[in-house]
Amino acid sequence: MPRLTKFTSTQGNIVYDLPLTSHPVKQLNIMLIGCGPYAKHIYLPALAEQNDSYRLNLTVVVELESQKAFVEEAVKGLGPVKLVLTKKFKNPYSLPTRLVAELNKAVAENNIDGVIISTEPLSHMQYTLWAAKSNLHVLINKPLSTHEFVASRPSHAKRLYEDYQKIVAVRNPKKAFLINAQRRYDPGFIYALDLVGSVAEKYHIPITSVQGMYCDGQWRLPKEMLTQQYHTYMGYGKVSHSGYHQIDLMSRLIEVSFGKSGKNFDEIGAFSSFIRPTGLLYQQNREDYIRLF
């Protein structure tokens, strides 16, 4: 029988239980695309900690040229890691020709098995389509894709489903394709999920109404609302980053409760409202900021 191991994140939350086989497994060579703050604090420690158990070998890191010094410091002590550096690019569906050539060369020379995509979300589709066409295993940060103005232009929002269809059309179903929504594994949510499931199973009553509210717990100043690049508010909105967890967790609660109750729903209605950046400026106006700061 396989043994079980628990991988623990740097925040102390149990992320998953996985079987450890009793026989040696093939070494898996990993390419990390995007080595920003999240990858530094989550993926790099995870790859280092699990190397002995699963023979995960970080071989290649892809990042922007402007982040070279940061990446070199982040991967220090992880063994020989090849850096592939690129400039920013705009096309939402394809990578620059030179970069594709460099990535293909790195895959061939380093026998890459899979990629972790941890870039700015506006670059997800470009790398995902390349990785899927390259027949690689993929682990990608949520969201699967997003676009500029997706929160305010319906025509741009429709591209999200079109993106999903594009990926399904090119990926190999025999290769892993996982979207990382890490808050599924928060102990508090796991407890709530188990509780909802047990009640649904015992009484055959599924969830009929869910309310979700979300706030980062951070106070953004007016200038930051317009200029911040990480988890940006302008351009593609909250649901493309932290708000994604609300939809994901509520979907899991509904799935488990109906599955355990043995019943199905006739229809689902969703109602949402958002406070946009202009709303926050009405809530806390110029006089408020001058008085407080």
Side-chain angles (χ1 to χ4, degrees):
M1 291 291 293
R3 293 177 290 122
L4 289 178
T5 186
K6 289 184 177 179
F7 164 65
T8 304
S9 75
T10 53
Q11 283 81 17
N13 297 333
I14 296 173
V15 176
Y16 50 69
D17 293 333
L18 287 176
L20 277 177
T21 56
S22 56
H23 55 81
V25 295
K26 173 186 178 294
Q27 175 173 291
L28 297 176
N29 294 323
I30 306 298
M31 173 185 287
L32 174 62
I33 303 176
C35 189
Y38 185 86
K40 179 180 178 182
H41 293 295
I42 301 297
Y43 289 130
L44 294 185
L47 289 168
E49 291 169 11
Q50 297 303 305
N51 184 37
D52 291 340
S53 301
Y54 298 103
R55 302 190 68 193
L56 302 175
N57 182 33
L58 178 61
T59 308
V60 180
V61 172
V62 183
E63 245 303 350
L64 294 173
E65 292 176 353
S66 60
Q67 301 301 308
K68 180 181 179 181
F70 177 87
V71 175
E72 289 177 336
E73 180 64 27
V75 301
K76 191 179 295 182
L78 296 178
V81 177
K82 175 181 174 59
L83 298 186
V84 175
L85 301 174
T86 181
K87 298 181 184 297
K88 286 188 175 182
F89 43 83
K90 280 290 187 180
N91 191 311
Y93 291 108
S94 64
L95 298 170
T97 303
R98 182 192 64 81
L99 177 57
V100 170
E102 285 196 51
L103 292 174
N104 290 340
K105 181 180 179 182
V107 167
E109 290 181 349
N110 296 277
N111 298 313
I112 298 297
D113 297 285
V115 300
I116 298 173
I117 300 175
S118 185
T119 65
E120 144 70 42
L122 289 174
S123 299
H124 279 188
M125 273 300 290
Q126 300 94 318
Y127 284 112
T128 301
L129 289 172
W130 166 79
K133 291 175 183 177
S134 300
N135 207 33
L136 298 169
H137 298 292
V138 176
L139 171 63
I140 181 172
N141 282 358
K142 53 77 186 164
L144 182 62
S145 70
T146 195
H147 297 275
E148 289 183 333
F149 309 113
V150 73
S152 56
R153 298 182 184 177
S155 60
H156 289 222
K158 289 179 181 178
R159 294 180 187 174
L160 300 181
Y161 182 60
E162 294 169 359
D163 292 347
Y164 167 77
Q165 292 176 309
K166 283 183 171 69
I167 293 169
V168 170
V170 298
R171 70 171 288 255
N172 181 351
K174 294 183 179 179
K175 295 291 183 178
F177 193 104
L178 303 173
I179 299 175
N180 179 15
Q182 76 278 10
R183 293 190 188 178
R184 283 189 178 191
Y185 305 100
D186 183 278
F189 174 69
I190 291 173
Y191 175 77
L193 192 68
D194 290 342
L195 191 61
V196 165
S198 64
V199 170
E201 186 173 31
K202 181 175 181 179
Y203 297 103
H204 302 284
I205 299 176
I207 284 177
T208 56
S209 178
V210 182
Q211 292 185 352
M213 291 172 282
Y214 194 85
C215 177
D216 272 337
Q218 300 175 8
W219 189 352
R220 296 297 182 188
L221 300 181
K223 185 177 181 180
E224 291 179 302
M225 300 292 292
L226 299 172
T227 60
Q228 73 177 68
Q229 297 298 312
Y230 182 70
H231 279 196
T232 177
Y233 288 81
M234 306 300 290
Y236 53 78
K238 290 284 288 182
V239 176
S240 284
H241 48 85
S242 49
Y244 181 101
H245 295 292
Q246 283 289 93
I247 298 172
D248 180 62
L249 298 181
M250 286 192 288
S251 298
R252 290 285 291 132
L253 287 167
I254 292 169
E255 177 187 9
V256 167
S257 77
F258 276 93
K260 293 284 188 179
S261 70
K263 295 176 180 174
N264 207 344
F265 47 81
D266 299 307
E267 63 181 40
I268 288 183
F271 306 88
S272 64
S273 63
F274 298 87
I275 297 177
R276 295 185 178 276
T278 51
L280 291 178
L281 294 178
Y282 280 112
Q283 183 184 41
Q284 294 172 325
N285 58 32
R286 176 180 175 82
E287 289 72 24
D288 294 327
Y289 283 103
I290 292 174
R291 178 173 53 84
L292 292 170
F293 297 106

